[in-house]
Amino acid sequence: MGGLIWKVYMSGEIHGDWRQRISGGVAAAGLPVELFSPVTVHGDSDDCGAAIFGPEENSFWHDHKGASLNSMRASTLIAAADIIVVRFGEKYKQWNAAFDAGYAAALGKPMITLHTSELDHALKEVDAVASAVAREPRQVVQALAYVIRGDMPAGGSDALAGE
Amino acid sequence: MGGLIWKVYMSGEIHGDWRQRISGGVAAAGLPVELFSPVTVHGDSDDCGAAIFGPEENSFWHDHKGASLNSMRASTLIAAADIIVVRFGEKYKQWNAAFDAGYAAALGKPMITLHTSELDHALKEVDAVASAVAREPRQVVQALAYVIRGDMPAGGSDALAGE
Amino acid sequence: MGGLIWKVYMSGEIHGDWRQRISGGVAAAGLPVELFSPVTVHGDSDDCGAAIFGPEENSFWHDHKGASLNSMRASTLIAAADIIVVRFGEKYKQWNAAFDAGYAAALGKPMITLHTSELDHALKEVDAVASAVAREPRQVVQALAYVIRGDMPAGGSDALAGE
Amino acid sequence: MGGLIWKVYMSGEIHGDWRQRISGGVAAAGLPVELFSPVTVHGDSDDCGAAIFGPEENSFWHDHKGASLNSMRASTLIAAADIIVVRFGEKYKQWNAAFDAGYAAALGKPMITLHTSELDHALKEVDAVASAVAREPRQVVQALAYVIRGDMPAGGSDALAGE
Amino acid sequence: MGGLIWKVYMSGEIHGDWRQRISGGVAAAGLPVELFSPVTVHGDSDDCGAAIFGPEENSFWHDHKGASLNSMRASTLIAAADIIVVRFGEKYKQWNAAFDAGYAAALGKPMITLHTSELDHALKEVDAVASAVAREPRQVVQALAYVIRGDMPAGGSDALAGE
Amino acid sequence: MGGLIWKVYMSGEIHGDWRQRISGGVAAAGLPVELFSPVTVHGDSDDCGAAIFGPEENSFWHDHKGASLNSMRASTLIAAADIIVVRFGEKYKQWNAAFDAGYAAALGKPMITLHTSELDHALKEVDAVASAVAREPRQVVQALAYVIRGDMPAGGSDALAGE
Amino acid sequence: MGGLIWKVYMSGEIHGDWRQRISGGVAAAGLPVELFSPVTVHGDSDDCGAAIFGPEENSFWHDHKGASLNSMRASTLIAAADIIVVRFGEKYKQWNAAFDAGYAAALGKPMITLHTSELDHALKEVDAVASAVAREPRQVVQALAYVIRGDMPAGGSDALAGE
Amino acid sequence: MGGLIWKVYMSGEIHGDWRQRISGGVAAAGLPVELFSPVTVHGDSDDCGAAIFGPEENSFWHDHKGASLNSMRASTLIAAADIIVVRFGEKYKQWNAAFDAGYAAALGKPMITLHTSELDHALKEVDAVASAVAREPRQVVQALAYVIRGDMPAGGSDALAGE
């Protein structure tokens, strides 16, 4: 079977260890996957624009300069991705994550969302265009393993998920 | 000057009178604009799927059936729109609005966001791809009047905004 | 709210009265919808090519000449459509209907499938990319009424469906 | 002459040895081809969704969860393919295969169908957009050898087809 | 059935009465068709550039200026067309016609070619991507009547073709 | 011949009477053309953003807010246009005009540039992708008359150009 | 400067040594170019379809089956190409070459045509969308050397062209 | 994190050392970036067409032949690029740079402009669609380092910029 390397962009919540868990699971399973992310250092993603191009008195433009750099990264990597995973957490508005989900959907990218059931109702339109709704990073890895290589999860599937 | 009718899709918050204020302002100014919206009756947008296609025991699939209908409407109208206006309010997650913003951005649609300055930081990546950030519906009408017909706002501009 | 006329292409089974029932329901509800179909006279869709361009000894090429004309119609109307409805019946292979569904999906057209639950398993991948799965033509009309105009089905909904 | 590796997606019937015969023939001929397929373990393609994301009481949603994963794979690989081969067998509805054919056609991918002459009439619209209709896997290999490398089939062509 | 007006671009040979015969047939049949053509006055299509923008000493640039104007017309009208009809005659190279055919094919426009059987071999790759090969303008009208309205040709079909 | 209304966007220099001369010529010739332009009131195009959304201390952001509104207009109208006319004058940098030319070129829009021969060398890459280079507004009108209706310029052509 | 490998498709005349001369020149200059062509064995390109898929009594369908295979190759390679070179010779209709030119133009591929000045008038619309018109294969190599690497032709340029 | 190589096209001013400074900074930082440029030898970019394809008496066509070759390079490399950097200098019209900026914008490529504040007003519409406005090559390198690898500029950042 062919040698495609699948590109997966992991959008959304920049706290918690969900990206590491997916990354670990992908490595443990030996999947032909390249993982991409936004810049996940919160302060840097806020201040990058001003740090590089100079300070702004008005916080709106301070934010604007940083956000424009973040958008360069996100739009390029989403367009290059085969699959997008979007994580929504309990805290914060996370409009960014939903924006990325819409962006990916308009480009026809298959999407897996990752969130607890408490958020199901608020995310119903996002989930309606997703191909799968995962509760745990382990399930994202299992879904990638199936989609890419046809692997079914082992009993308990702990080995596969690298946890 | 040519006779283009501009299609404008108003996404986001389904409470408050912001759509009425834009609609009133557009009418008062006689702008060649057709306005489109999602279904704004909250209960209907939740229950439409089950009401038409039958009930679901599991609330996830109840939501899924309704949200899929809402997505048919949104994706068609955003694709048909020349401009998208996205309103973010103080309450609720409003991931829907951010999803629509991302969807429109990926299609290259010019976007105006509408929200208070309290939300500026949380919306910085969305605003970074928007062409304008409005605080009041009146400003959206003024922007449409300028973009479509070259009109500058009158002193106070209350007449234009139809308020 | 704006004056978009929605174009709906009804693909699939050419027997039964399902197209008439949708057409009647759309008219009864006064929906701003233009309905399109393949040529539904079975013999004509088989023989059109040979009748116009001359007979073929080999039945394969007889079929090919007719099918090519049918494809001109289908590809043009699906590309022009806002929504596609695809009906699968109990009889025949109906590969045509599934082909149209795939064609519409690749173009990003929202789709409603229409079939009995007996066919659910065989159609699971088609239904997975559809926005809704209807069992009755009445439900297609109700879905259009909701998507286009925000109408919820009345109790029993018989009036709306024009039956 | 240049070093393009041709990507070929083999859609359709998951029983029989047709994929192995094409794969063997491609290898025997040393063609620069990467072959891709759906998951061909029937039970896994039915149950993958529930196995990964949890069981569903309703068989419709059980199917839906699995089919959505299968669609992620198919849509990605068809979009990446240079050529699609679609096999239709005697048994089952195989709407999946026709759906993939339509999906590929809308993306402008050249297609070879593979089926017996008994199915010619039922498949006439699908064949009308195909570039070739093969009866045997050997012919698919010969067509690839010609299209990619300009090879004409040897007398009998058994050596080439690796049979 | 819906009210689509079909746009048909008639490319190729600028001599003979084939466009008039199609136009007459379309009118006689009352088909909802708008017909478009290149500029068919031979001298004007050669000299338009120099007449408008000034003479050139070098005939290559004389031709270039005229041809560029002709291309503006052709590319716009082919892109706007639903169907393209391409006529190849016995005389001249008519590379223009084949260029338009390729242009239309790359845009996915359904195509009908119109030529005598003497040209079949020379046109085999063009015909291979066409949906139909007509010998007479009458057959083009009949094909349009079937594709657009499902009409089958009457016995002899002379009435329909307006001849 | 069909009833297409051609949309023409006139980009570039906002001084002089060149738009009026084209507009007058199009009207005098009765061409089926809708003409579109940027906002040509210099002060308004500078200050619109601040006038509508509030003043900025920093002139960069003052400009940014206005320019973003102007871009909404330009990108929408260029995308809607069939043909773009771009005027370069002697004064100012007019990077706007060249930006619009590049934007239109990437969208595959046929383009006519309008400038004196003094600017030929500086504009050679822009002209290289244009379909015609006009020196006078009259020639633009004549080119439209030929492209749209096949009209050749009359001797002297003053009547046509409405001057 | 970056390491892009440029893909160049050489369409048109299958007689003469023009492809060998370009290929030799590209090799001598060490250009980072991959060259692609149609199948240039005349008899094979006529008979491939029948040889693989079985004979046809009717020569039209014999041609059709072969031409469809040739089209698979051409459409894939043109779509993959960065630049297309199209050679028109004195003999034959060579509608194929013009078709490929149109196909490439609609995809926005830069094109170099290669033909004697005797054909200038007949090819004026094709040349009007080409980026260059070469008389000799050596000039095609020189153009590639300039476009890709900025090389100017040496005096006489014989060394570069490998002749 | 994945192994994407980012392609960056540096358009604009062909004088000064700004490209070398970006190139040096990218190398010093070890960024996974391939840099592309137009041909920057001024005389060659003027004369390439005539040198390869023969002289022209009329300087307009001399320019046209050269500019067409330059456009082949620019359009291919911009389409291949992930990011475009556009430098505007004090001298010359530099319409080329603005044309490339528009071309890139229409293709949705993220853009960084590089110019002094004296040019801010003249470039306001170009900057309005850019993701960042840099004053120094060092800032372009820092922006690439952040966008691609999440690096924040060091204090003074001189080491990073390789100056």
Side-chain angles (χ1 to χ4, degrees):
Chain A
M1 203 53 51
L4 202 69
I5 306 296
W6 294 63
K7 292 191 180 70
V8 176
Y9 183 74
M10 300 183 292
S11 174
E13 197 182 24
I14 60 173
H15 305 99
D17 64 348
W18 70 274
R19 281 189 182 82
Q20 287 73 15
R21 291 173 67 194
I22 290 176
S23 175
V26 160
L31 294 175
V33 165
E34 282 194 297
L35 293 164
F36 298 91
S37 294
V39 172
T40 55
V41 181
H42 195 144
D44 291 356
S45 74
D46 281 355
D47 299 330
C48 57
I52 295 171
F53 298 109
E56 292 290 329
E57 293 195 15
N58 185 330
S59 68
F60 180 86
W61 298 117
H62 175 98
D63 280 351
H64 184 83
K65 285 164 90 169
S68 295
L69 288 184
N70 293 328
S71 292
M72 287 179 76
R73 179 179 177 94
S75 65
T76 303
L77 294 177
I78 293 174
D82 297 300
I83 293 175
I84 180 171
V85 176
V86 191
R87 164 72 182 168
F88 292 90
E90 303 299 316
K91 298 188 208 155
Y92 308 109
K93 295 284 189 183
Q94 305 192 52
W95 281 321
N96 239 9
F99 181 89
D100 284 356
Y103 198 92
L107 298 181
K109 306 287 176 181
M111 176 166 55
I112 301 172
T113 58
L114 173 60
H115 58 81
T116 63
S117 58
E118 280 72 20
L119 301 179
D120 280 358
H121 187 65
L123 284 167
K124 70 184 197 293
E125 270 84 14
V126 178
D127 287 347
V129 303
S131 295
V133 178
R135 303 306 186 192
E136 296 290 338
R138 174 181 77 229
Q139 293 172 312
V140 174
V141 177
Q142 291 172 339
L144 293 175
Y146 176 77
V147 167
I148 292 171
R149 219 166 49 189
D151 293 349
M152 289 290 276
S157 76
D158 287 354
L160 176 64
E163 294 169 340
Chain B
M1 201 51 53
L4 203 69
I5 306 295
W6 295 62
K7 292 191 179 70
V8 177
Y9 184 73
M10 301 183 291
S11 174
E13 197 182 23
I14 60 173
H15 305 99
D17 66 348
W18 69 276
R19 282 191 182 82
Q20 287 72 14
R21 290 173 68 194
I22 290 177
S23 174
V26 160
L31 295 174
V33 165
E34 282 193 296
L35 293 164
F36 299 91
S37 294
V39 172
T40 55
V41 180
H42 195 143
D44 291 356
S45 74
D46 281 356
D47 300 330
C48 57
I52 294 171
F53 297 109
E56 292 289 330
E57 293 196 16
N58 184 331
S59 69
F60 181 86
W61 298 118
H62 175 99
D63 280 351
H64 184 83
K65 285 164 89 170
S68 295
L69 288 184
N70 293 329
S71 292
M72 287 179 76
R73 180 179 176 95
S75 65
T76 301
L77 293 177
I78 293 173
D82 297 300
I83 293 175
I84 180 171
V85 176
V86 191
R87 163 73 182 168
F88 293 89
E90 303 299 317
K91 297 188 209 153
Y92 308 109
K93 294 285 189 182
Q94 305 191 51
W95 281 321
N96 239 8
F99 181 90
D100 284 357
Y103 197 93
L107 298 180
K109 306 286 175 182
M111 177 165 53
I112 301 171
T113 58
L114 173 59
H115 58 81
T116 64
S117 60
E118 280 73 21
L119 300 180
D120 279 359
H121 186 66
L123 283 167
K124 71 182 197 294
E125 270 85 13
V126 178
D127 287 347
V129 302
S131 295
V133 178
R135 303 306 186 193
E136 296 291 338
R138 172 183 78 230
Q139 294 171 311
V140 174
V141 176
Q142 290 173 338
L144 294 175
Y146 176 77
V147 167
I148 294 171
R149 221 166 47 189
D151 292 350
M152 289 291 275
S157 75
D158 289 354
L160 177 63
E163 295 169 337
Chain C
M1 205 51 53
L4 203 69
I5 307 296
W6 294 63
K7 293 192 180 69
V8 177
Y9 184 73
M10 300 183 292
S11 174
E13 199 183 21
I14 60 172
H15 305 99
D17 65 347
W18 69 274
R19 282 190 182 82
Q20 288 72 15
R21 291 173 67 193
I22 290 176
S23 174
V26 160
L31 294 175
V33 165
E34 281 194 296
L35 293 165
F36 299 91
S37 293
V39 172
T40 56
V41 180
H42 195 145
D44 291 356
S45 74
D46 281 355
D47 299 331
C48 57
I52 294 171
F53 297 110
E56 292 291 329
E57 292 196 17
N58 185 329
S59 68
F60 181 87
W61 299 118
H62 175 99
D63 280 352
H64 183 84
K65 286 164 89 169
S68 295
L69 289 183
N70 293 329
S71 292
M72 287 178 77
R73 180 179 176 94
S75 65
T76 303
L77 294 177
I78 293 173
D82 297 300
I83 293 174
I84 180 171
V85 176
V86 191
R87 164 73 183 167
F88 293 90
E90 302 298 318
K91 297 189 210 154
Y92 308 109
K93 295 284 189 182
Q94 304 192 54
W95 281 320
N96 240 10
F99 181 89
D100 284 357
Y103 197 93
L107 298 180
K109 306 286 175 181
M111 177 165 55
I112 301 172
T113 59
L114 173 60
H115 57 81
T116 63
S117 59
E118 280 73 21
L119 300 180
D120 280 358
H121 187 65
L123 283 167
K124 70 184 198 293
E125 269 85 14
V126 178
D127 287 347
V129 302
S131 294
V133 178
R135 304 305 187 195
E136 296 291 337
R138 172 183 77 230
Q139 293 172 312
V140 174
V141 177
Q142 291 172 339
L144 294 175
Y146 176 77
V147 167
I148 294 171
R149 219 166 49 190
D151 292 349
M152 289 291 275
S157 75
D158 287 354
L160 176 63
E163 296 169 338
Chain D
M1 206 51 53
L4 202 69
I5 306 295
W6 294 63
K7 292 191 180 69
V8 177
Y9 184 73
M10 300 183 291
S11 174
E13 198 183 23
I14 60 172
H15 305 101
D17 65 348
W18 69 276
R19 280 190 183 83
Q20 286 73 15
R21 290 173 67 194
I22 290 177
S23 174
V26 160
L31 295 174
V33 165
E34 281 194 298
L35 293 165
F36 297 91
S37 293
V39 172
T40 56
V41 180
H42 194 144
D44 291 356
S45 74
D46 281 356
D47 299 330
C48 57
I52 295 171
F53 297 108
E56 291 290 330
E57 293 196 15
N58 185 331
S59 68
F60 181 87
W61 297 117
H62 175 99
D63 280 351
H64 184 83
K65 286 165 88 169
S68 295
L69 288 184
N70 294 328
S71 292
M72 287 179 76
R73 179 179 177 95
S75 66
T76 302
L77 293 178
I78 293 174
D82 298 299
I83 293 175
I84 180 171
V85 176
V86 191
R87 163 75 183 167
F88 292 89
E90 302 299 317
K91 298 189 210 153
Y92 307 108
K93 295 285 190 182
Q94 305 192 52
W95 281 322
N96 238 9
F99 181 89
D100 284 357
Y103 198 93
L107 298 180
K109 306 286 176 183
M111 177 165 55
I112 301 172
T113 58
L114 172 60
H115 59 80
T116 64
S117 60
E118 280 72 20
L119 300 180
D120 280 359
H121 186 66
L123 283 167
K124 71 184 198 293
E125 270 85 14
V126 178
D127 287 346
V129 302
S131 295
V133 178
R135 303 307 186 193
E136 296 291 338
R138 175 183 73 230
Q139 294 172 311
V140 173
V141 177
Q142 290 172 338
L144 294 175
Y146 176 77
V147 167
I148 293 171
R149 220 166 49 189
D151 293 349
M152 289 291 275
S157 76
D158 288 354
L160 176 64
E163 294 169 337
Chain E
M1 204 51 52
L4 202 69
I5 307 295
W6 293 64
K7 293 191 181 68
V8 177
Y9 184 72
M10 299 183 293
S11 174
E13 200 183 20
I14 60 173
H15 306 99
D17 65 347
W18 70 274
R19 282 191 182 81
Q20 288 70 16
R21 290 174 67 195
I22 290 176
S23 175
V26 160
L31 294 175
V33 165
E34 280 194 298
L35 293 165
F36 298 91
S37 293
V39 172
T40 56
V41 181
H42 194 145
D44 291 356
S45 74
D46 281 355
D47 299 332
C48 58
I52 295 171
F53 298 109
E56 292 289 329
E57 294 195 17
N58 185 330
S59 69
F60 181 86
W61 298 117
H62 175 98
D63 280 352
H64 183 82
K65 284 163 90 168
S68 295
L69 288 183
N70 294 329
S71 291
M72 287 178 77
R73 180 179 176 93
S75 65
T76 303
L77 293 177
I78 293 173
D82 297 301
I83 292 175
I84 180 171
V85 176
V86 191
R87 164 73 183 167
F88 293 89
E90 302 299 317
K91 299 189 208 150
Y92 308 108
K93 295 283 189 183
Q94 305 192 52
W95 281 321
N96 240 8
F99 180 89
D100 285 357
Y103 198 93
L107 298 181
K109 305 286 175 180
M111 178 166 52
I112 301 172
T113 59
L114 173 60
H115 59 81
T116 63
S117 59
E118 280 72 20
L119 301 180
D120 280 358
H121 187 65
L123 284 166
K124 70 185 198 290
E125 270 85 14
V126 179
D127 287 347
V129 302
S131 295
V133 178
R135 304 304 186 196
E136 297 292 337
R138 175 183 75 230
Q139 293 172 312
V140 173
V141 177
Q142 291 173 338
L144 294 175
Y146 176 77
V147 167
I148 293 170
R149 220 167 47 190
D151 292 350
M152 289 292 275
S157 76
D158 288 354
L160 177 64
E163 294 169 339
Chain F
M1 203 52 51
L4 202 69
I5 307 295
W6 294 63
K7 292 190 180 71
V8 177
Y9 184 74
M10 300 183 292
S11 175
E13 199 183 22
I14 61 173
H15 305 100
D17 66 348
W18 70 275
R19 282 191 183 82
Q20 288 71 16
R21 291 175 67 196
I22 290 176
S23 174
V26 160
L31 294 174
V33 165
E34 281 194 297
L35 294 164
F36 298 91
S37 294
V39 172
T40 56
V41 181
H42 194 144
D44 291 357
S45 74
D46 281 356
D47 300 331
C48 57
I52 294 171
F53 298 109
E56 291 289 329
E57 293 196 15
N58 185 330
S59 69
F60 181 86
W61 298 117
H62 175 99
D63 280 351
H64 183 82
K65 285 165 90 170
S68 296
L69 288 184
N70 293 329
S71 292
M72 286 179 76
R73 180 179 176 93
S75 65
T76 302
L77 293 177
I78 293 173
D82 297 301
I83 292 175
I84 180 170
V85 176
V86 191
R87 164 74 183 167
F88 293 89
E90 303 299 318
K91 298 189 210 152
Y92 308 108
K93 296 283 190 182
Q94 305 191 52
W95 282 320
N96 240 6
F99 181 88
D100 284 357
Y103 197 93
L107 298 181
K109 306 285 175 184
M111 177 165 55
I112 301 172
T113 59
L114 172 60
H115 58 81
T116 64
S117 59
E118 281 72 21
L119 301 180
D120 280 359
H121 186 66
L123 283 167
K124 68 183 199 292
E125 270 85 13
V126 179
D127 287 347
V129 303
S131 296
V133 178
R135 303 306 186 193
E136 296 291 340
R138 174 184 76 231
Q139 293 172 312
V140 174
V141 177
Q142 290 172 339
L144 294 175
Y146 175 77
V147 167
I148 294 171
R149 219 166 48 188
D151 292 350
M152 289 292 276
S157 75
D158 288 355
L160 177 64
E163 295 169 340
Chain G
M1 206 52 53
L4 202 68
I5 306 295
W6 294 64
K7 292 191 180 71
V8 177
Y9 183 74
M10 300 183 291
S11 174
E13 199 182 23
I14 59 173
H15 305 101
D17 65 347
W18 69 275
R19 281 191 182 83
Q20 287 73 15
R21 290 173 67 196
I22 290 176
S23 175
V26 160
L31 294 174
V33 165
E34 280 194 297
L35 293 165
F36 298 91
S37 294
V39 172
T40 56
V41 181
H42 195 144
D44 291 357
S45 75
D46 281 356
D47 299 331
C48 57
I52 294 171
F53 297 109
E56 291 290 329
E57 293 196 16
N58 185 329
S59 69
F60 180 87
W61 298 117
H62 175 99
D63 280 351
H64 184 84
K65 286 164 89 169
S68 295
L69 288 184
N70 293 329
S71 292
M72 287 178 76
R73 179 178 177 94
S75 66
T76 302
L77 293 177
I78 293 173
D82 296 301
I83 293 176
I84 179 171
V85 176
V86 191
R87 164 72 183 169
F88 292 89
E90 302 299 316
K91 298 188 209 153
Y92 308 107
K93 295 284 189 182
Q94 305 192 51
W95 282 321
N96 239 8
F99 181 90
D100 284 357
Y103 197 93
L107 298 181
K109 305 286 174 181
M111 177 165 54
I112 301 171
T113 58
L114 172 60
H115 58 81
T116 64
S117 59
E118 280 74 19
L119 301 180
D120 280 359
H121 187 65
L123 283 167
K124 70 184 198 293
E125 270 86 14
V126 179
D127 286 347
V129 302
S131 295
V133 179
R135 302 307 186 193
E136 296 291 338
R138 174 183 77 230
Q139 293 171 311
V140 173
V141 177
Q142 290 172 339
L144 294 175
Y146 176 77
V147 167
I148 293 171
R149 221 166 46 189
D151 293 349
M152 289 292 274
S157 75
D158 288 354
L160 176 64
E163 294 169 337
Chain H
M1 207 50 53
L4 202 68
I5 306 295
W6 294 63
K7 292 191 180 69
V8 176
Y9 184 72
M10 299 184 293
S11 174
E13 199 182 23
I14 60 173
H15 305 100
D17 64 347
W18 69 274
R19 282 190 182 83
Q20 287 72 15
R21 290 173 67 195
I22 290 176
S23 175
V26 160
L31 294 175
V33 165
E34 280 193 298
L35 293 165
F36 299 91
S37 293
V39 172
T40 56
V41 181
H42 194 145
D44 291 357
S45 75
D46 281 355
D47 300 330
C48 56
I52 294 171
F53 298 109
E56 292 289 329
E57 293 196 16
N58 185 329
S59 69
F60 180 86
W61 298 118
H62 175 98
D63 280 352
H64 184 83
K65 285 165 89 168
S68 295
L69 288 183
N70 293 329
S71 291
M72 287 179 74
R73 179 178 176 94
S75 65
T76 303
L77 293 177
I78 293 173
D82 297 301
I83 292 175
I84 180 171
V85 176
V86 192
R87 164 72 183 167
F88 293 89
E90 302 299 317
K91 298 188 208 153
Y92 309 108
K93 294 284 188 183
Q94 306 191 53
W95 281 320
N96 238 8
F99 180 88
D100 285 356
Y103 198 93
L107 299 181
K109 306 286 174 182
M111 177 165 54
I112 301 172
T113 59
L114 173 60
H115 59 81
T116 63
S117 60
E118 280 73 19
L119 301 180
D120 280 359
H121 187 64
L123 284 167
K124 69 183 198 292
E125 270 84 15
V126 179
D127 287 347
V129 302
S131 295
V133 178
R135 302 307 186 193
E136 296 291 338
R138 173 183 79 229
Q139 293 171 312
V140 174
V141 176
Q142 290 172 339
L144 294 175
Y146 176 77
V147 167
I148 293 171
R149 219 166 48 189
D151 292 350
M152 290 292 274
S157 74
D158 287 355
L160 176 64
E163 294 169 339

